Each structure stands twice: as C-alpha cells, then as structure tokens.
Amino acid sequence: MTESLLVDMRQITKKFPGVLANDQVELQVKRGEILALLGENGSGKSTLMSILSGLYRPDAGEIYVAGHQVSFKSPREAIKAGIGMVHQHFKQVETFSVAENVILGSKDAGFTMNTKQVEKEIAELSQGYGLQVDPTAKIWQLSVAERQRVEIVKMLYRGSKLLVLDEPTAVLTPQEARELFQVIKQMTTRGQSVILITHKLNEVMEVADRVTILRNGKSVATRERSQVNERELARLMMGQDIIAPTKRKLGNLGQPILQLKDVSAPSDSNRAGLCNVSLSVREGEILGIAGIAGNGRRELAEAIVGLRSLTGGSITLCGKDVSNFSPREIIEEGVSYIPEDRLGSGLVPNLGAIDNLILKEYRRPGLGRGPFINRKLAKEFALRLIESVGVKLTGLEAPVKMLSGGNLQRILLARELAAKPKVIVAVYPVRGLDIAAAEAVHQMLLEQRSKGAAIVLISEDLEELLKLSDNIGVLYKGTLMGVLPVTEAEPEKVGLMMLGSQPEEVKAS
Amino acid sequence: MIKLERRAAPSSMGLVLIPVIAVFLALITGAIFLYLNGLSSPKGITWGQVFAVYGGMLDGAFGSTYGVSETIVKAIPLMLCGLGVSMAFRMQLWNIGAEGQFYMGAFGASWLALTYPELPVYLMLPGMVLLGLLCGGLWALIPGIPRAYLGVNETITTLMLNYVAILWVNYFIFGPWKDPQGMNFPLSKPFEPSAVLPTLGSSRVHFGLVFALAIAVLLWFVLKQSRWGYEVTVIGESPRTARYAGMNIKKNIILVMFVSGAIAGLAGMAEVSAITQRMQQGLSPGYGYTAIIVAWLAKLNPFAIILVAILLGALQVGGYSVQTTGVPAAIVFMIQGALLFFVLGGEFFNRFRIVLKNQGKVEV
C-alpha cells in the first residue's frame, strides 16, 4: 500500500489570522494516477496545495513523499522532491524565451547558460508528451494555453513526479482544455501523477481516476471516479448531509423591497458576469442564491451594493430606481452588505474595534458635530454594538485582525445590522466559522428577517440555503436559472440547476 | 534551525526600539567611513579621533546658542516637508516631490514679494503664506490628479516634477527676476522688510517654527478627531474596505496630495522669506528628500516628525561645524542615507520574528 503512494498528507492543519484554512486534511496520491481535488472557492484547496508545493508550511500534520517524511522550507525543496505546481497565474519573464524561462531558477543553471542544450531537451520532452512548445519563442508571443504548456514543460524538465495543476482550465477554451487532458493522461502512462485542482464536476468525471473533496477546510470524502456521479459529487461539495427542508411556515412576506430587472454586469475577467438577471425580494424574505463559484454570485452581490456598475437593466429599492448608485448612496438607502472577504474588504485589519464599528456610522451626526468625530460617543456606540452581539474583546484598540473568524464576523454583523437595514446582502456569511459562531450568525439573520428586512443570502452551502431561505434562486453562467420556493427546492433539483439545467427539465427527469 | 515567522501585529517594543537602533547603526557606519577616510591622510587616524568628530558634531549642533538656533533653522523646513509627505504616505501615496513643492511654494511667495513690494506687512505676509500653500498644493496636484483618475504612478511623476520646479525657478532668477545689483549672481532682488517673517530675538529662528508646530498639532487633531482624518486612515490601511464603506477614494487622493504639497510649499515660503529673504539658486540643500527620511523615522507621527527633524537638522549643522577639521561635509548625507537604509531594513523585524526551533510546533 505505502509504496504505491507517491504523496501522503496526513492531518494537515493550517491557520491564517481569522480563518482555519485546512483542518486535519488527508490526501493521498498514488503513482501514475490523476487525482482531482474538488471543492468550492475557499474550501482550502489552494492552501493545501501551497503547503504541498512548499509555499506555506503547515501548522500541524505530516507529509510523506515516496514513503519519506518531508518538511519543505521552500518551493525549491518541493521541486527537488519531484513536486511541481502550475499556478493559475504563471510566473514567467515575458521577454525571455521559453528555454530561458524553463531553466530560470533551476539549480543547474550556472553562470552561463547552455541554451542550445536546453532547447534540445525541451523539444524532446514536448514531443514525448505531445506538448507543443517552441523552445526559442519568446513568452510574450505565446497564447495563454501555450504559456501554460511552458509551465508544464518547466516542471517536467525539473523532473517532477507529481504535477499540481491549479484550476488549469479556467483560462482555456474547451478545445484547449481537451488537449490539456490528453497531455495529462499521457503523463500518467509514463508513471507521473497529477493533482487537478478544480471546482468543475465535469472535469472530474472526464479525467480523474480518483477524487478528494474538500469542504470548509476539511477533507470530506475520497472516491473512485467509477463509483460516483456528478450528483453525488455536487452533494459532497456543497454539504454532505442535506436535511430535507422541513415544511416550515414561511414568513409573512410583505411588499417587494429590492427588485432587479434584466440586470447585466461584467465580471472581472470579462467572462460570464451577470446576464439579464431579474429577481424580487420582499419584506421579511430571505432569498437564497445558489451557484458554483464563477457563475455570478459575487457579481450579483456587488451589483446590488453599488460596487459593480451595471451594463444593463435596473435595480429598484422600495420603488426608487437606484441603478448605478455609488456605494455610499446605496448605504444611505439602507442596504447592508456582509462581504465575502470579511477581513480584506469588510473590516480594516490594522485598526481597532471602535474604528471598525463606526465605519458606516462616522458620517452621521450621531457621532459628533460638524467635521469632527466625538471619540467618546464613538466609544459608547462601539460598546453598545459589541454588547449587542456578545463578543468578548481584550481591548477596543487592538487590531481586529487578531480576532478569531467568529468574532470578526460578529463585529461585522453588529455594524451592518445596527442601522436597521432594509436590505441585507450576505455573502458566505458563515464560511470558515465554527458551528457556534455559524449558528449565531444565522440567528442574527433570521432576527433581521422577522424585523422585516429583505435579505439576499449568497452561499456555497446548500444546507445553509435550505435552512434559512424562503426562496432559492440558482445562478449558472451569470443567468438566473429560476427561483424556487424552498418547499420545492429539493437538493438534487437545485444541484442540477447549478450545473445548468432548467427547472422544467429537472421536473421532467 | 532559524526560521522567519510573520508577526500578526508589529511588536510594540519594535516601534520604539527599531528607530533607536537604526540611528545607532547609522552612526557606526559613518564612523567606519570616517576611519577609512582618515587612514588615507598622512597622519593616520585613531578610533578616538573618529568619535571626537561625533563629539564635535554634537557640540556644533547643540553646544552653543548659535548652534541650537542653527539646528532649529535647518529643522524647520524638514519639519514642514516631513509633515507634508507624511500626510501623503499615510494614504500610501508616495509623494517624493516635496523638494519641488518646496520650490514652487517659495516661488509663489517670492512672486508676491517681488511684484507688489509696496504691500503693507499685514497683507504681504498672509498673502505670501497663502500663495506658498497654494503653489505647493497645485504643484502636487499635477501628479495627484492623474494618479486619482488614471492610476499614474505618483512616485515617478512627483520625482520628475522636482527637476521641473527647480528649473522653473532657475529661469526666473537667471532671467526676469535677476537682481541688477546682484553682480550677475542668480539671485532675485532682496525682499522688502514687510516680506520677511519675524524671528525670535536676534537669532535666525523664525516664525516658520510656529507654522510647523501648529501644523503638527493640527494634523494630529484632524487625523484623530475628524471624519476626514478617519477616512484618510481607513483608505491608507485598506482601500478595498474604504470603497466598501462608500468612501470617495479619488477625491481623497486629490485632497491629500494637495494638502501634502501645500505644507511643503509653506516650508519653501518660510525659507525664502525668513532665511534667504530673496529667491536664489540652491534654496534647498535637499530638504524635500531628507524629509522623506524624517517622515519614515518618525513613523508618520506628527510629533515625532518635529523631534526627528531636529535630530537631522542637528546632523547637518554638526556636519558643517566639523568641516573645518578636515572632515568632509558629505559625511552628513552618508549618515542620512545609512539612517534610511537601517530604518527600512528594520521594518523587516517589525513584520517578522526570527524563531529558533527544531520542529514546527502547533499553536491552536
């Protein structure tokens, strides 16, 4: 058993300030296999692979390569042990040739470079694996797919036995992706192993031999490809034990508060942003939004709160057209936003609790006269909010980045809910939180719902959506596939809609 | 095994200790060069003599009323320019154009003093202050506006504009403003007494000191107690959070660049009005650049900037005073350079700690 394992990662734990990125993760790679590492964004895939490739060091856990325990202090040591990672963003020097990039940073590049020799070796390697690369071409002349091949060749040249590909198809066209899969299959026949990081289920089914699924920093399952289907993978990825929604009484839904009509918005990478999304959230309603990462969840949230400009359609709030309002105007209309990246964009990490709690309040006259902030009033205001969410703080001035993820989120929620919002946009509000903190966050949201707020809850966790939502909408490639009342939203049905099926098709099947 | 660990928060002891150690190391570096320099002289040199040079510098800067007043005179433009750049640095705007803003402030003030020499003092001096602030501020807006709207790198543009400002001023003192009685030196006519800032007694310490102290208090107050200061702090710490909170980042970039340049412009006004009392070539021996060191050594704290400016002012005065003993004045710039080097290097220890251990232990 052991000798067939190329890499064995045991009980890997890695903490970042406020986040438990990897929690006792187990991962095994056999020789000559393609292992898919499946998980949502933020489930800990990249952290785990960065540990394996020597970029990060684990806080706990052991790594064995070919039976020997290793502890990589740098990517170079990992490369020496035969582990090569191809990142999403290639680290290449544009004005250098392919061959020069390949030997760049490798140990045997001396003071002078024998480029001719390297070019020959690259040509041989690329022929052997069917990787078409011209070793004399300059990087800037190459397409993204070609650059990716260069990275792969670089790793092969350095003698990688295990190739880690971080979402390699994200930048490729379907044809290019198919070619890439041919190449990695070719590799395994030569005894190499490949880890394919992905959140695309069809890729897993297409090339992987086995699949390990991460969720919330934990390895939840490892399956043989032949023994799973997409549906089960989706279930494992989103939330393992989905409780069928209890026939709970739906809230008394009032007037529509937030309405989106044919809203379109670009994404950061000019891929599927939002296309003609129309939805309506009523008073006292929680509208859950499901969807796999990269299908428009973040864009939807940012469009509503004014951080992303619309290219079409309109947004109305209580009947008032607020399309393309600035973030500040949207805040003033009574919209609260719990962002995905709570420490990076919802809080100021280096400032204390007071300064973080007054972030949305500092403009209002309640905190001081004219251009000034009354520090005493600010402190009282902050203390009131802290008390309302029951957080124990060691100091009001200590940088908030020292707080645990749960307390960070409580502080953020305290602030966002303080102004009695009409609309709340919450993105992954419990990601990375322990059960108690997650439950507290859910209670706060439900309380706001009973107070009549219209809530848009965007989550990757189907279980969470089914538990809290009155209605569930599903985003796929930037379009809303439909909105289902929670009573009709069976996990399988929502799961298939997340993969692109229309609700009617699902019913028919 | 030695390993580096990222600190969750900068150590509080480091905040004080690192500048002190940096000063110490810079002085040692200077001593080594003084020693090597002395070796080449026919008489040779001992370490005792090297440290006597430092003693001489200390004595020159603080040992007499004259020394102290000269130290403060040199410190005033450093204080003001340092306060100016610190404002921009707070928002992570790397304004290294205080030198140019200083010159433009001096230019604006000189223009009023030379064009309307008959103005009474109560119009002249406030007018010069206003024009100093305005010209320095506007000069900083030239890189500030493209930075705000197009993301043009302000480090390069502010630096380049220093040369433009100096050449602009040179044009005037070599041309239209040249003093006919100036024996062809690049000088303007001397200002009327109404255009000269008052000084403390018979010393050269001038009213610019009051400007500097007032601005230090004002900046501290604005940053701590005002809504705008809060915005500047948040934007400087986390632009994404600031955007999320609905703050107008573009507007604040422009505003902060203006304020930053205006304070440096005021420094230029004070210098030209109180010290040279006419516009002349080489008005600043690089105050705008030294101010960057001042701001960093002081960790952008307004009151620390006042103290550090005095320290660096003393270094310059001390350097001049030991020149007579054959020590090159350039030693001052070398120590300044070493200071910045060690302060920036010390930042590393603020962010990381060095850990000696054998195995990765878990802390949960």
Side-chain angles (χ1 to χ4, degrees), chain A residues 57 307 328 331 337 341 344-345 347-348 350 355 359 362-364 368 370-373 375 401 415-416, chain B residues 1 3 8-9 221 224-227 230-231 233-234 237-238 240-241 243-247 361-362 364:
Chain A
R57 306 183 65 186
L307 285 167
R328 178 169 172 178
I331 291 167
Y337 177 31
D341 177 8
S345 57
L347 296 164
V348 189
N350 286 325
D355 280 342
L359 190 66
Y362 75 99
R363 292 189 205 98
R364 303 203 171 115
F372 301 111
I373 295 174
R375 283 278 147 191
K401 67 180 176 190
R415 185 186 71 210
E416 291 305 306
Chain B
M1 190 181 64
K3 100 178 199 183
F221 185 76
K224 272 270 170 262
Q225 308 281 335
S226 79
R227 297 176 207 266
Y230 175 72
E231 280 194 5
T233 310
V234 171
E237 285 287 345
S238 174
R240 275 172 63 205
T241 308
R243 210 167 95 79
Y244 156 89
M247 293 174 183
K361 268 190 243 122
V362 204
V364 180

Side-chain angles (χ1 to χ4, degrees), chain A residues 421-439:
Chain A
K422 281 187 259 177
V423 172
I424 301 166
V425 178
V427 186
Y428 319 141
V430 301
R431 176 191 276 175
L433 303 189
D434 58 41
I435 295 166
E439 190 55 35

Side-chain angles (χ1 to χ4, degrees), chain A residues 145-320:
Chain A
E146 286 171 309
R147 290 183 192 200
Q148 190 177 56
R149 275 179 239 147
V150 172
E151 283 300 286
I152 296 173
V153 166
K154 190 199 279 181
M155 292 308 154
L156 293 174
Y157 178 81
R158 293 181 184 173
S160 296
K161 285 174 283 185
L162 171 68
L163 200 63
V164 183
L165 301 170
D166 188 3
E167 304 202 6
T169 57
V171 293
L172 301 181
T173 64
Q175 289 82 354
E176 288 169 337
R178 220 165 297 139
E179 281 173 34
L180 175 70
F181 290 155
Q182 284 306 317
V183 169
I184 61 176
K185 278 179 182 162
Q186 179 79 22
M187 286 178 194
T188 56
T189 63
R190 294 179 163 227
Q192 252 131 0
S193 307
V194 175
I195 296 181
L196 181 69
I197 305 177
T198 185
H199 56 250
K200 293 181 185 156
L201 303 174
N202 58 338
E203 289 179 0
V204 177
M205 300 309 288
E206 201 176 328
V207 288
D209 297 309
R210 290 190 311 140
V211 50
T212 292
I213 297 122
L214 291 189
R215 180 155 53 89
N216 282 337
K218 298 190 181 77
S219 44
V220 291
T222 298
R223 296 274 193 277
E224 297 284 331
R225 193 249 328 243
S226 51
Q227 289 164 10
V228 284
N229 55 30
E230 286 197 21
R231 214 178 268 209
E232 192 188 352
L233 286 179
R235 196 173 60 82
L236 287 167
M237 191 162 99
M238 301 298 156
Q240 202 171 15
D241 311 301
I242 296 174
I243 314 143
T246 46
K247 297 259 183 231
R248 95 185 123 83
K249 213 170 67 184
L250 294 182
N252 289 327
L253 304 186
Q255 295 296 311
I257 302 271
L258 174 74
Q259 284 175 299
L260 273 68
K261 198 160 176 294
D262 296 326
V263 167
S264 297
S267 76
D268 291 334
S269 53
N270 290 321
R271 284 185 296 142
L274 290 179
C275 330
N276 299 318
V277 170
S278 297
L279 57 83
S280 159
V281 194
R282 282 166 292 173
E283 205 180 323
E285 173 181 353
I286 296 183
L287 174 69
I289 298 287
I292 296 172
N295 282 282
R297 297 187 304 201
R298 192 158 61 88
E299 286 81 359
L300 178 65
E302 290 184 354
I304 295 173
V305 299
L307 285 167
R308 189 172 288 268
S309 49
L310 311 183
T311 49
S314 67
I315 300 177
T316 50
L317 242 169
C318 299
K320 182 177 176 184

Side-chain angles (χ1 to χ4, degrees), chain A residues 98-106 108-109 113-115 118 157-158:
Chain A
V98 169
E100 284 163 342
N101 268 284
V102 167
I103 46 177
L104 195 68
S106 71
D108 44 284
M113 296 196 286
N114 188 352
T115 331
V118 179
Y157 178 81
R158 293 181 184 173

Side-chain angles (χ1 to χ4, degrees), chain A residues 328-349:
Chain A
R328 178 169 172 178
E329 288 166 317
I330 295 279
I331 291 167
E332 256 138 55
E333 292 294 329
V335 177
S336 281
Y337 177 31
I338 295 144
E340 174 180 2
D341 177 8
R342 60 185 79 110
L343 197 55
S345 57
L347 296 164
V348 189

